[in-house]
Amino acid sequence: MLVVVVLLVTVLLRVAIVTAVVYLLLPQGPLCPHCNFEMVAIRNRFVDRLVPLLERRWCLECGWDGVVRRVRTARARTPKRSPAPRPAPR
Ligand SMILES: [Zn+2]
Protein backbone atom coordinates (compact mmCIF):
# COMPACT_ATOMS: atom_id res chain seq x y z
CA MET A 1 0.00 0.00 0.00
CA LEU A 2 2.86 2.36 0.79
CA VAL A 3 4.32 1.79 -2.68
CA VAL A 4 1.05 2.88 -4.27
CA VAL A 5 0.96 6.04 -2.20
CA VAL A 6 4.58 6.90 -3.04
CA LEU A 7 3.98 6.31 -6.76
CA LEU A 8 0.79 8.38 -6.68
CA VAL A 9 2.60 11.24 -4.94
CA THR A 10 5.42 11.18 -7.48
CA VAL A 11 2.92 11.22 -10.35
CA LEU A 12 1.09 14.16 -8.77
CA LEU A 13 4.38 15.98 -8.27
CA ARG A 14 5.25 15.47 -11.93
CA VAL A 15 1.88 16.80 -13.00
CA ALA A 16 2.33 19.84 -10.75
CA ILE A 17 5.84 20.54 -12.05
CA VAL A 18 4.80 20.19 -15.69
CA THR A 19 1.77 22.44 -15.09
CA ALA A 20 3.96 25.11 -13.47
CA VAL A 21 6.56 24.99 -16.25
CA VAL A 22 3.92 25.19 -18.99
CA TYR A 23 2.26 28.12 -17.21
CA LEU A 24 5.57 29.96 -16.96
CA LEU A 25 6.38 29.32 -20.64
CA LEU A 26 3.14 30.91 -21.86
CA PRO A 27 3.39 34.48 -23.10
CA GLN A 28 2.11 37.05 -20.69
CA GLY A 29 -0.19 39.93 -21.28
CA PRO A 30 -2.11 41.37 -24.20
CA LEU A 31 0.87 41.96 -26.51
CA CYS A 32 1.52 39.55 -29.37
CA PRO A 33 4.71 37.48 -28.89
CA HIS A 34 5.49 37.80 -32.61
CA CYS A 35 4.72 41.37 -33.62
CA ASN A 36 4.15 43.08 -30.26
CA PHE A 37 0.75 44.27 -31.40
CA GLU A 38 -2.07 44.34 -28.88
CA MET A 39 -4.22 41.24 -29.25
CA VAL A 40 -7.95 40.84 -28.94
CA ALA A 41 -9.27 38.64 -26.15
CA ILE A 42 -11.44 35.73 -27.20
CA ARG A 43 -13.99 35.24 -24.48
CA ASN A 44 -15.34 31.89 -23.48
CA ARG A 45 -17.45 31.87 -20.37
CA PHE A 46 -16.73 28.23 -19.57
CA VAL A 47 -12.94 28.51 -19.93
CA ASP A 48 -12.87 31.85 -18.10
CA ARG A 49 -14.46 30.21 -15.07
CA LEU A 50 -12.51 26.97 -15.32
CA VAL A 51 -9.05 28.53 -15.74
CA PRO A 52 -9.21 32.18 -14.69
CA LEU A 53 -5.42 32.61 -14.88
CA LEU A 54 -5.34 31.99 -18.63
CA GLU A 55 -7.09 33.56 -21.57
CA ARG A 56 -7.15 33.06 -25.29
CA ARG A 57 -6.08 35.93 -27.50
CA TRP A 58 -5.92 36.62 -31.19
CA CYS A 59 -3.58 39.00 -32.98
CA LEU A 60 -5.25 41.04 -35.67
CA GLU A 61 -1.89 42.01 -37.18
CA CYS A 62 -0.21 38.65 -37.82
CA GLY A 63 -3.03 36.21 -37.09
CA TRP A 64 -1.36 34.48 -34.14
CA ASP A 65 -3.80 33.06 -31.67
CA GLY A 66 -3.12 31.18 -28.51
CA VAL A 67 -3.37 30.99 -24.79
CA VAL A 68 -1.63 33.65 -22.73
CA ARG A 69 -1.30 34.35 -19.05
CA ARG A 70 -3.89 36.82 -17.92
CA VAL A 71 -2.53 40.03 -16.49
CA ARG A 72 -4.50 41.78 -13.86
CA THR A 73 -4.94 45.34 -14.97
CA ALA A 74 -6.27 48.07 -12.83
CA ARG A 75 -9.70 48.77 -14.13
CA ALA A 76 -10.21 52.26 -15.33
CA ARG A 77 -12.34 53.72 -12.67
CA THR A 78 -14.48 56.65 -13.33
CA PRO A 79 -14.01 59.06 -10.50
CA LYS A 80 -17.02 59.15 -8.31
CA ARG A 81 -18.65 62.43 -8.84
CA SER A 82 -20.13 64.06 -5.88
CA PRO A 83 -23.58 65.37 -6.57
CA ALA A 84 -23.76 68.95 -7.65
CA PRO A 85 -23.96 71.22 -4.65
CA ARG A 86 -27.45 72.33 -3.90
CA PRO A 87 -28.19 75.98 -3.93
CA ALA A 88 -28.48 77.37 -0.46
CA PRO A 89 -32.08 77.63 0.72
CA ARG A 90 -33.35 81.17 1.06
ZN1 LIG B 1 0.98 39.40 -33.92
Side-chain angles (χ1 to χ4, degrees):
M1 185 66 190
L2 183 65
V3 173
V4 173
V5 172
V6 169
L7 288 176
L8 186 66
V9 168
T10 56
V11 167
L12 291 177
L13 276 175
R14 275 189 230 159
V15 169
I17 290 170
V18 168
T19 303
V21 169
V22 166
Y23 177 76
L24 291 175
L25 286 176
L26 288 175
Q28 183 180 17
L31 296 181
C32 177
H34 291 279
C35 62
N36 224 16
F37 195 78
E38 187 163 350
M39 297 185 287
V40 177
I42 300 173
R43 297 280 176 209
N44 185 323
R45 193 178 303 164
F46 178 72
V47 175
D48 282 352
R49 291 202 179 184
L50 190 69
V51 192
L53 295 175
L54 303 176
E55 66 182 344
R56 190 156 178 227
R57 287 194 171 258
W58 176 42
C59 179
L60 294 173
E61 191 73 13
C62 69
W64 184 89
D65 75 299
V67 178
V68 298
R69 286 188 271 167
R70 187 181 302 241
V71 176
R72 301 248 177 227
T73 56
R75 290 185 179 175
R77 291 185 186 168
T78 54
K80 245 186 177 176
R81 291 183 188 167
S82 58
R86 289 182 175 177
R90 292 183 182 177

